Amino acid sequence: MTATSLPASDAAALASGKGHRDENFPVASFLLKPAHRPPVMAFYRFARAADDVSDNEAASDADKLAVLGAMRASLNGTSEADPASTALRGVLAAHGLTAQHGLDLLTAFERDCTQRRYASWDELIDYCRYSAMPVGRFVLDVHGEDRATWPANDALCAALQVINHLQDCAKDYRALDRVYLPLDMMAAAGASVEELAAPAASPALRSVIVAMARRTQALLAESACFAAQIRSRRLALEVAVIQRLAESLTRRLLTRDPLSGRVHHGKAEAALIAARAALGQLRP
């Protein structure tokens, strides 16, 4: 299968059915101005399609890379094969934005098809540079925010990605043989990747999860200033909500085992945390 011959339905055939309301964190919520929601949703649909391709359990890595290649060609304007990528290309043109953030994201999903282990925390953060940071950077660009906000954005986005990796560490290993827990941290703790298949984390594996959660707290300390740096009041509110939700989940990962239980917010719980965060941001 080659990217040039792929029918437009290939990415759709690998879709998970997951939508923006199923994510751990708000996507283009009502907090954003109506004019900004469509471009953010176009980027989300593109990202969701690419993520579903890379995470599909039935497709071969070669076929996944072919579909992602078709998405890259469609985003670059050399193909019309993929509808989500072609639609995003139109949005980018309408807003005077480049395709770089989307292309960076595709690099991460292509890496998922070829790399299943990460040697160190630094290597994992490099993955986040492509898998997570471009999402926040795109939203900032859509809002016309100063790129001086990027360091805080990058810290928050990396934290969100690591939280997702920790929440899903057992599922990623069991379904995709994919391990985002750094191998050097595993080795130092005396843990093996095979322990991710167990019904509960061993003390050694649990210590790695806790250590990663603490490093995530350090990232969130770096991003604590992010909302205050944003000119758009409504975007600042959404960022404050995401920051608070991330802080809550990270504290939960310090005390709960993602192998033996669900480490996620319920909808009502998330709504309450979000409301408190928004109110805190609105206070003078």
Side-chain angles (χ1 to χ4, degrees):
M1 195 190 311
T2 64
T4 54
S5 64
L6 285 171
S9 60
D10 272 333
L14 300 181
S16 66
K18 188 174 181 180
H20 71 286
R21 298 187 187 282
D22 302 310
E23 303 293 346
N24 284 335
F25 302 98
V27 177
S29 76
F30 71 93
L31 292 172
L32 299 188
K33 289 182 178 179
H36 290 140
R37 290 177 210 156
V40 172
M41 282 304 302
F43 194 86
Y44 171 78
R45 284 189 287 269
F46 163 80
R48 169 46 50 204
D51 196 7
D52 286 349
V53 169
S54 70
D55 284 353
N56 188 276
E57 298 174 26
S60 69
D61 288 334
D63 284 353
K64 291 177 185 181
L65 287 169
V67 177
L68 292 170
M71 296 185 73
R72 184 178 287 277
S74 299
L75 188 58
N76 273 328
T78 60
S79 170
E80 304 288 325
D82 181 69
S85 307
T86 302
L88 178 59
R89 191 176 78 224
V91 167
L92 295 173
H95 288 79
L97 300 173
T98 74
Q100 191 58 55
H101 300 317
L103 295 173
D104 284 347
L105 206 58
L106 287 174
T107 295
F109 295 129
E110 289 162 349
R111 189 178 294 182
D112 278 335
C113 299
T114 60
Q115 182 172 349
R116 288 179 168 77
R117 303 289 187 270
Y118 289 82
S120 65
W121 176 263
D122 286 346
E123 193 171 293
L124 180 62
I125 294 300
D126 181 69
Y127 171 79
C128 294
R129 157 67 183 84
Y130 294 95
S131 69
M133 297 175 193
V135 178
R137 292 178 180 185
F138 174 81
V139 174
L140 290 167
D141 281 357
V142 165
H143 284 77
E145 294 290 336
D146 194 316
R147 293 195 172 187
T149 59
W150 278 19
N153 164 81
D154 293 353
L156 178 58
C157 289
L160 301 182
Q161 183 70 85
V162 176
I163 289 167
N164 284 339
H165 288 331
L166 291 175
Q167 288 176 318
D168 297 337
C169 61
K171 182 179 72 173
D172 285 341
Y173 176 68
R174 295 165 186 167
L176 298 163
D177 187 33
R178 200 179 287 165
V179 179
Y180 295 101
L181 280 62
L183 296 182
D184 62 350
M185 294 179 70
M186 297 279 282
S192 68
V193 296
E194 291 78 15
E195 292 176 36
L196 289 164
S202 68
L205 181 58
R206 184 80 194 109
S207 72
V208 176
I209 293 170
V210 168
M212 291 182 68
R214 294 205 182 281
R215 291 196 179 191
T216 304
Q217 285 184 317
L219 289 171
L220 291 170
E222 291 179 35
S223 65
C225 62
F226 186 18
Q229 295 176 353
I230 297 172
R231 292 190 298 263
S232 167
R233 188 169 177 82
R234 296 179 72 154
L235 178 58
L237 282 172
E238 180 160 285
V239 166
V241 166
I242 293 171
Q243 173 83 20
R244 189 72 62 85
L245 289 168
E247 289 169 350
S248 173
L249 285 172
T250 305
R251 287 193 299 270
R252 187 170 291 187
L253 284 162
L254 292 172
T255 59
R256 298 192 189 183
D257 176 13
L259 272 68
S260 60
R262 179 178 168 83
V263 186
H264 294 76
H265 292 130
K267 289 189 181 297
E269 182 184 21
L272 180 60
I273 293 170
R276 287 174 175 167
L279 286 172
Q281 182 67 21
L282 287 169
R283 288 195 193 101

PDB file of all heavy atoms in Angstrom, residues 183-199:
ATOM      1  N   LEU A 183      13.107   3.553  30.091  1.00  0.00           N
ATOM      2  CA  LEU A 183      13.766   2.298  30.453  1.00  0.00           C
ATOM      3  C   LEU A 183      14.834   2.495  31.515  1.00  0.00           C
ATOM      4  O   LEU A 183      15.056   1.596  32.343  1.00  0.00           O
ATOM      5  CB  LEU A 183      14.374   1.664  29.207  1.00  0.00           C
ATOM      6  CG  LEU A 183      13.381   1.221  28.123  1.00  0.00           C
ATOM      7  CD1 LEU A 183      14.127   0.556  26.967  1.00  0.00           C
ATOM      8  CD2 LEU A 183      12.321   0.277  28.694  1.00  0.00           C
ATOM      9  N   ASP A 184      15.506   3.652  31.523  1.00  0.00           N
ATOM     10  CA  ASP A 184      16.525   3.847  32.557  1.00  0.00           C
ATOM     11  C   ASP A 184      15.891   3.985  33.933  1.00  0.00           C
ATOM     12  O   ASP A 184      16.445   3.496  34.937  1.00  0.00           O
ATOM     13  CB  ASP A 184      17.445   5.029  32.232  1.00  0.00           C
ATOM     14  CG  ASP A 184      16.732   6.372  32.142  1.00  0.00           C
ATOM     15  OD1 ASP A 184      15.477   6.417  32.150  1.00  0.00           O
ATOM     16  OD2 ASP A 184      17.430   7.409  32.060  1.00  0.00           O
ATOM     17  N   MET A 185      14.717   4.611  34.014  1.00  0.00           N
ATOM     18  CA  MET A 185      14.016   4.709  35.290  1.00  0.00           C
ATOM     19  C   MET A 185      13.512   3.333  35.724  1.00  0.00           C
ATOM     20  O   MET A 185      13.551   2.996  36.919  1.00  0.00           O
ATOM     21  CB  MET A 185      12.856   5.702  35.180  1.00  0.00           C
ATOM     22  CG  MET A 185      13.294   7.138  34.935  1.00  0.00           C
ATOM     23  SD  MET A 185      11.912   8.299  34.765  1.00  0.00           S
ATOM     24  CE  MET A 185      11.279   8.335  36.460  1.00  0.00           C
ATOM     25  N   MET A 186      13.055   2.539  34.761  1.00  0.00           N
ATOM     26  CA  MET A 186      12.598   1.174  35.073  1.00  0.00           C
ATOM     27  C   MET A 186      13.764   0.337  35.618  1.00  0.00           C
ATOM     28  O   MET A 186      13.630  -0.350  36.639  1.00  0.00           O
ATOM     29  CB  MET A 186      12.019   0.531  33.820  1.00  0.00           C
ATOM     30  CG  MET A 186      10.780   1.214  33.261  1.00  0.00           C
ATOM     31  SD  MET A 186       9.261   0.744  34.107  1.00  0.00           S
ATOM     32  CE  MET A 186       8.955  -0.855  33.365  1.00  0.00           C
ATOM     33  N   ALA A 187      14.898   0.419  34.929  1.00  0.00           N
ATOM     34  CA  ALA A 187      16.054  -0.376  35.350  1.00  0.00           C
ATOM     35  C   ALA A 187      16.547   0.049  36.730  1.00  0.00           C
ATOM     36  O   ALA A 187      16.878  -0.805  37.573  1.00  0.00           O
ATOM     37  CB  ALA A 187      17.175  -0.235  34.326  1.00  0.00           C
ATOM     38  N   ALA A 188      16.587   1.343  36.988  1.00  0.00           N
ATOM     39  CA  ALA A 188      17.052   1.836  38.281  1.00  0.00           C
ATOM     40  C   ALA A 188      16.156   1.367  39.414  1.00  0.00           C
ATOM     41  O   ALA A 188      16.621   1.143  40.536  1.00  0.00           O
ATOM     42  CB  ALA A 188      17.114   3.360  38.259  1.00  0.00           C
ATOM     43  N   ALA A 189      14.863   1.199  39.127  1.00  0.00           N
ATOM     44  CA  ALA A 189      13.911   0.759  40.150  1.00  0.00           C
ATOM     45  C   ALA A 189      13.836  -0.758  40.251  1.00  0.00           C
ATOM     46  O   ALA A 189      13.190  -1.288  41.161  1.00  0.00           O
ATOM     47  CB  ALA A 189      12.531   1.325  39.844  1.00  0.00           C
ATOM     48  N   GLY A 190      14.463  -1.463  39.319  1.00  0.00           N
ATOM     49  CA  GLY A 190      14.380  -2.924  39.306  1.00  0.00           C
ATOM     50  C   GLY A 190      13.069  -3.427  38.748  1.00  0.00           C
ATOM     51  O   GLY A 190      12.624  -4.534  39.083  1.00  0.00           O
ATOM     52  N   ALA A 191      12.441  -2.647  37.884  1.00  0.00           N
ATOM     53  CA  ALA A 191      11.164  -3.027  37.277  1.00  0.00           C
ATOM     54  C   ALA A 191      11.385  -3.463  35.832  1.00  0.00           C
ATOM     55  O   ALA A 191      12.331  -3.021  35.172  1.00  0.00           O
ATOM     56  CB  ALA A 191      10.187  -1.855  37.320  1.00  0.00           C
ATOM     57  N   SER A 192      10.513  -4.316  35.335  1.00  0.00           N
ATOM     58  CA  SER A 192      10.582  -4.760  33.944  1.00  0.00           C
ATOM     59  C   SER A 192       9.301  -4.376  33.230  1.00  0.00           C
ATOM     60  O   SER A 192       8.236  -4.229  33.849  1.00  0.00           O
ATOM     61  CB  SER A 192      10.768  -6.281  33.876  1.00  0.00           C
ATOM     62  OG  SER A 192       9.604  -6.948  34.343  1.00  0.00           O
ATOM     63  N   VAL A 193       9.381  -4.227  31.915  1.00  0.00           N
ATOM     64  CA  VAL A 193       8.193  -3.841  31.152  1.00  0.00           C
ATOM     65  C   VAL A 193       7.119  -4.919  31.221  1.00  0.00           C
ATOM     66  O   VAL A 193       5.923  -4.619  31.139  1.00  0.00           O
ATOM     67  CB  VAL A 193       8.551  -3.530  29.680  1.00  0.00           C
ATOM     68  CG1 VAL A 193       9.476  -2.330  29.588  1.00  0.00           C
ATOM     69  CG2 VAL A 193       9.166  -4.734  28.988  1.00  0.00           C
ATOM     70  N   GLU A 194       7.530  -6.168  31.394  1.00  0.00           N
ATOM     71  CA  GLU A 194       6.555  -7.255  31.459  1.00  0.00           C
ATOM     72  C   GLU A 194       5.588  -7.096  32.638  1.00  0.00           C
ATOM     73  O   GLU A 194       4.468  -7.622  32.614  1.00  0.00           O
ATOM     74  CB  GLU A 194       7.271  -8.612  31.549  1.00  0.00           C
ATOM     75  CG  GLU A 194       8.014  -9.014  30.285  1.00  0.00           C
ATOM     76  CD  GLU A 194       9.350  -8.305  30.114  1.00  0.00           C
ATOM     77  OE1 GLU A 194       9.842  -7.714  31.103  1.00  0.00           O
ATOM     78  OE2 GLU A 194       9.896  -8.348  28.996  1.00  0.00           O
ATOM     79  N   GLU A 195       6.006  -6.358  33.666  1.00  0.00           N
ATOM     80  CA  GLU A 195       5.149  -6.141  34.828  1.00  0.00           C
ATOM     81  C   GLU A 195       3.913  -5.315  34.481  1.00  0.00           C
ATOM     82  O   GLU A 195       2.938  -5.302  35.240  1.00  0.00           O
ATOM     83  CB  GLU A 195       5.948  -5.448  35.938  1.00  0.00           C
ATOM     84  CG  GLU A 195       7.039  -6.321  36.537  1.00  0.00           C
ATOM     85  CD  GLU A 195       7.878  -5.574  37.555  1.00  0.00           C
ATOM     86  OE1 GLU A 195       7.324  -4.741  38.294  1.00  0.00           O
ATOM     87  OE2 GLU A 195       9.099  -5.822  37.603  1.00  0.00           O
ATOM     88  N   LEU A 196       3.945  -4.632  33.334  1.00  0.00           N
ATOM     89  CA  LEU A 196       2.776  -3.852  32.918  1.00  0.00           C
ATOM     90  C   LEU A 196       1.594  -4.737  32.536  1.00  0.00           C
ATOM     91  O   LEU A 196       0.469  -4.257  32.411  1.00  0.00           O
ATOM     92  CB  LEU A 196       3.150  -2.950  31.739  1.00  0.00           C
ATOM     93  CG  LEU A 196       4.064  -1.773  32.087  1.00  0.00           C
ATOM     94  CD1 LEU A 196       4.693  -1.185  30.826  1.00  0.00           C
ATOM     95  CD2 LEU A 196       3.280  -0.707  32.851  1.00  0.00           C
ATOM     96  N   ALA A 197       1.842  -6.020  32.361  1.00  0.00           N
ATOM     97  CA  ALA A 197       0.760  -6.954  32.045  1.00  0.00           C
ATOM     98  C   ALA A 197       0.073  -7.486  33.302  1.00  0.00           C
ATOM     99  O   ALA A 197      -0.955  -8.163  33.208  1.00  0.00           O
ATOM    100  CB  ALA A 197       1.297  -8.127  31.222  1.00  0.00           C
ATOM    101  N   ALA A 198       0.611  -7.183  34.468  1.00  0.00           N
ATOM    102  CA  ALA A 198       0.049  -7.691  35.727  1.00  0.00           C
ATOM    103  C   ALA A 198      -1.238  -6.950  36.085  1.00  0.00           C
ATOM    104  O   ALA A 198      -1.474  -5.832  35.626  1.00  0.00           O
ATOM    105  CB  ALA A 198       1.074  -7.548  36.843  1.00  0.00           C
ATOM    106  N   PRO A 199      -2.073  -7.547  36.934  1.00  0.00           N
ATOM    107  CA  PRO A 199      -3.314  -6.877  37.339  1.00  0.00           C
ATOM    108  C   PRO A 199      -3.097  -5.696  38.278  1.00  0.00           C
ATOM    109  O   PRO A 199      -3.991  -4.874  38.463  1.00  0.00           O
ATOM    110  CB  PRO A 199      -4.117  -7.998  38.016  1.00  0.00           C
ATOM    111  CG  PRO A 199      -3.090  -8.994  38.446  1.00  0.00           C
ATOM    112  CD  PRO A 199      -2.009  -8.943  37.430  1.00  0.00           C
TER     113      PRO A 199
END
